[in-house]
Amino acid sequence: MHLNSDEKVEIFEKYGKGKTDTGSPEAQIALFSVRIAHLTEHLKSNHKDYTTARALKALVGKRRRLLDYLIRKDINRYRAIIAQKELGIRK
């Protein structure tokens, strides 16, 4: 899946500080979460796709590191991003 520019801008507007805010941890976590959800669906039907499985593990690790960064820097921002149910970070 390739997210087009409009979809990325929509994610950045919703979770970041604005449509041009591409670097905030919240925006990056949201973008990674969308990609993780897509790769998870792909792997359900293509379970032998080891390259995608490796990419999925890498994305989960990147998202985890950003979440750990938010815990250290601002626990309230961390709690706000975790509370977003549509991202599917916590069940």
Side-chain angles (χ1 to χ4, degrees):
M1 172 195 88
H2 179 68
L3 286 173
N4 63 28
S5 296
D6 296 333
E7 292 169 338
K8 286 183 183 180
V9 167
E10 183 179 318
I11 290 170
F12 294 143
E13 282 178 349
K14 186 171 182 180
Y15 298 103
K17 296 177 180 87
K19 66 181 181 180
T20 59
D21 177 28
T22 60
S24 72
E26 292 91 343
Q28 290 294 311
I29 289 168
L31 185 64
F32 288 157
S33 295
V34 169
R35 291 177 60 197
I36 286 169
H38 174 73
L39 290 178
T40 302
E41 288 301 314
H42 172 78
L43 282 174
K44 286 180 182 176
S45 60
N46 301 288
H47 64 278
K48 289 190 176 184
D49 189 353
Y50 301 116
T51 305
T52 300
R54 183 174 186 261
L56 176 63
K57 290 175 188 173
L59 275 177
V60 170
K62 283 183 181 183
R63 184 177 72 179
R64 180 75 256 162
R65 284 191 298 274
L66 281 172
L67 288 168
D68 290 343
Y69 170 80
L70 271 182
I71 289 172
R72 286 192 317 268
K73 294 297 179 184
D74 191 351
I75 191 72
N76 293 327
R77 287 169 60 191
Y78 170 78
R79 289 182 179 143
I81 197 77
I82 291 298
Q84 301 287 328
K85 295 295 181 189
E86 60 270 6
L87 290 180
I89 296 174
R90 298 284 186 270
K91 300 216 181 214

